[in-house]
């Protein structure tokens, strides 16, 4: 395992960083989970939406965001409160968070590729995508889990081995070595390439078909917002991976700033990819009215009894 220098691991700065991150994760988890529950409730109650691939991918994406933030609360909470947890527990929690974090970008890439197929190949893509959607999702998670399991195995058999059952007051930072960071960069650039190529082909087809003319401001605004949101995801992640875990006030401050930008993007993902959707937005209004009306009817019936 590639740990930073010993004196840095137990410093007050690391504990302060963990405390700030845990607090931000709590807010992000609360907000993202609230929106996720609403969107999943809307999709699950409509038989038509349940069968559409874009909503299946959207629900997976939102569940990844909520799980990532929730696991972030647990991992950073263990570090902030000096939980003295076994290293193996730290590895399991961190590995689970890393996996669902990569699932966020994987589902974004699948959503972009699916949108391209629907727009550019509308006649042939529907039946093909419906037949392979669950196989692709299963294969995606298999790749993520196997990749992270192999990286953890490499770290555990490295020159600086550590007892997995040994308790550590501050959960150590793992996957900070050069092989792990290099593989992380390759995966990130691969997914980013899929997303950018899909968006460029979508824009090219939309421009050819006249969907991006001056009168259609919403279509252009949607593409722009998605690209900005993607940048808020990717740029902090690239810097996280490229810099690794370093000591010093400057690197801790930079880490917190990048983390703040990344957390902001996580919070607004459910809004941008979920409630920005016109169909979901209209169904949300109907769903809220139904919930309020049902609640009103329930209260009225109890009062009358």
């Amino acid at each position: 395992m590639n740990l930073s220098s010993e004196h840095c691991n137990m410093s007050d700065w690391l504990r302060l960083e963990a405390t700030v991150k845990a607090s931000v994760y709590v807010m992000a988890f609360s907000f993202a989970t609230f929106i996720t529950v609403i969107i999943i409730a809307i999709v699950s109650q409509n038989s038509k939406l349940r069968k559409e691939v874009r909503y299946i991918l959207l629900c997976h994406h939102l569940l990844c965001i909520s799980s990532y933030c929730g696991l972030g609360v647990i991992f950073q909470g263990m570090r902030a409160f000096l939980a003295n947890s076994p290293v193996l527990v730290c590895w399991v929690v961190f590995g689970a968070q890393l996996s669902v974090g990569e699932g966020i970008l994987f589902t974004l890439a699948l959503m972009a590729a699916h949108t391209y197929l629907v727009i550019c190949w509308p006649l042939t893509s529907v039946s093909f995508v419906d037949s392979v959607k669950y196989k692709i999702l299963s294969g995606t998670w298999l790749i993520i889990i196997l990749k992270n399991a192999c990286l953890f195995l490499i770290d555990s058999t490295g020159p600086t081995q550590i007892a997995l059952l040994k308790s550590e007051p501050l959960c150590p930072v793992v996957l900070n070595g050069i092989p792990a960071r290099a593989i992380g960069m390759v995966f990130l650039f691969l997914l980013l390439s899929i997303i950018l190529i899909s968006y460029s082909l979508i824009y090219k087809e939309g421009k050819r078909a006249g969907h991006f003319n001056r009168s259609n401001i919403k279509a252009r605004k949607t593409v722009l917002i998605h690209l900005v949101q993607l940048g808020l995801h990717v740029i902090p992640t690239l810097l996280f991976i490229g810099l690794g875990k370093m000591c010093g006030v400057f690197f801790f401050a930079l880490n917190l700033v990048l983390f703040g930008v990344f957390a902001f993007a996580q919070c607004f993902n459910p809004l941008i990819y979920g409630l920005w959707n016109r169909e979901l937005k209209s169904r949300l209004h109907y769903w809220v009215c139904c919930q309020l009306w049902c609640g009103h009817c329930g209260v009225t019936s109890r009062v009358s009894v």
Side-chain angles (χ1 to χ4, degrees):
M1 183 189 304
N2 185 0
L3 297 174
S4 300
S5 49
E6 293 282 331
H7 70 277
C8 184
N9 276 346
M10 293 299 296
S11 69
D12 293 336
W13 283 106
L14 276 175
R15 191 177 179 188
L16 175 62
E17 176 193 63
T19 304
V20 174
K21 286 187 175 182
S23 303
V24 174
Y25 271 132
V26 167
M27 293 186 289
F29 173 74
S30 302
F31 182 78
T33 303
F34 175 72
I35 303 297
T36 299
V37 168
I38 292 176
I39 292 176
I40 291 179
I42 293 172
V43 173
S44 62
Q45 292 174 12
N46 187 285
S47 58
K48 178 187 174 184
L49 298 184
R50 283 202 306 267
K51 296 177 183 178
E52 291 195 33
V53 176
R54 59 175 172 165
Y55 294 115
I56 294 173
L57 292 175
L58 176 62
C59 290
H60 271 78
H61 179 69
L62 299 179
L63 287 172
C64 284
I65 293 173
S66 297
S67 301
Y68 179 83
C69 295
L71 290 166
V73 173
I74 297 173
F75 183 73
Q76 297 299 338
M78 289 192 301
R79 303 189 83 204
F81 291 105
L82 301 177
N84 206 36
S85 305
V87 174
L88 181 60
V89 174
C90 298
W91 279 32
V92 170
V93 175
F94 182 80
Q97 187 191 16
L98 180 65
S99 297
V100 294
E102 290 176 339
I104 295 173
L105 281 177
F106 260 99
T107 49
L108 279 179
L110 291 175
M111 288 162 65
H114 173 257
T115 304
Y116 159 71
L117 290 174
V118 169
I119 291 176
C120 299
W121 305 88
L123 299 179
T124 57
S125 65
V126 176
S127 59
F128 171 73
V129 171
D130 282 338
S131 64
V132 300
K133 56 186 176 185
Y134 292 114
K135 294 178 182 177
I136 292 176
L137 280 172
S138 301
T140 296
W141 286 112
L142 184 63
I143 291 171
I144 291 173
I145 293 171
L146 287 178
K147 189 265 290 183
N148 289 333
C150 291
L151 289 179
F152 276 106
L153 186 63
I154 292 172
D155 256 23
S156 64
T157 57
T160 55
Q161 297 183 20
I162 188 170
L164 293 180
L165 298 180
K166 178 184 176 184
S167 296
E168 290 280 349
L170 192 69
C171 279
V173 177
V174 294
L175 298 185
N176 193 35
I178 294 178
R181 287 193 289 168
I183 294 173
M185 293 284 270
V186 170
F187 264 75
L188 184 62
F189 278 118
L190 175 63
L191 297 175
L192 183 60
S193 300
I194 294 173
I195 295 171
L196 291 179
I197 290 172
S198 298
Y199 271 113
S200 62
L201 293 174
I202 290 169
Y203 184 81
K204 183 178 179 181
E205 176 64 19
K207 193 173 182 180
R208 184 193 66 79
H211 294 308
F212 293 101
N213 51 35
R214 291 184 179 180
S215 61
N216 196 343
I217 299 175
K218 183 175 174 58
R220 289 182 290 153
K221 188 186 292 186
T222 300
V223 172
L224 178 61
I225 290 175
H226 282 195
L227 290 177
V228 171
Q229 180 73 358
L230 181 63
L232 294 178
H233 272 285
V234 172
I235 294 174
T237 306
L238 280 173
L239 293 175
F240 276 135
I241 297 174
L243 293 175
K245 198 69 180 175
M246 298 184 183
C247 296
V249 177
F250 172 75
F251 289 106
F252 282 121
L254 178 62
N255 191 18
L256 289 178
V257 171
L258 294 175
F259 174 76
V261 174
F262 184 76
F264 175 83
Q266 300 305 316
C267 283
F268 280 86
N269 253 19
L271 293 177
I272 291 175
Y273 292 100
L275 299 183
W276 185 262
N277 181 287
R278 184 182 303 169
E279 188 171 5
L280 277 180
K281 191 185 297 183
S282 63
R283 292 184 183 276
L284 172 65
H285 178 71
Y286 175 76
W287 183 82
V288 170
C289 291
C290 286
Q291 297 301 313
L292 293 175
W293 176 253
C294 291
H296 174 71
C297 290
V299 172
T300 304
S301 62
R302 284 196 297 270
V303 171
S304 61
V305 171

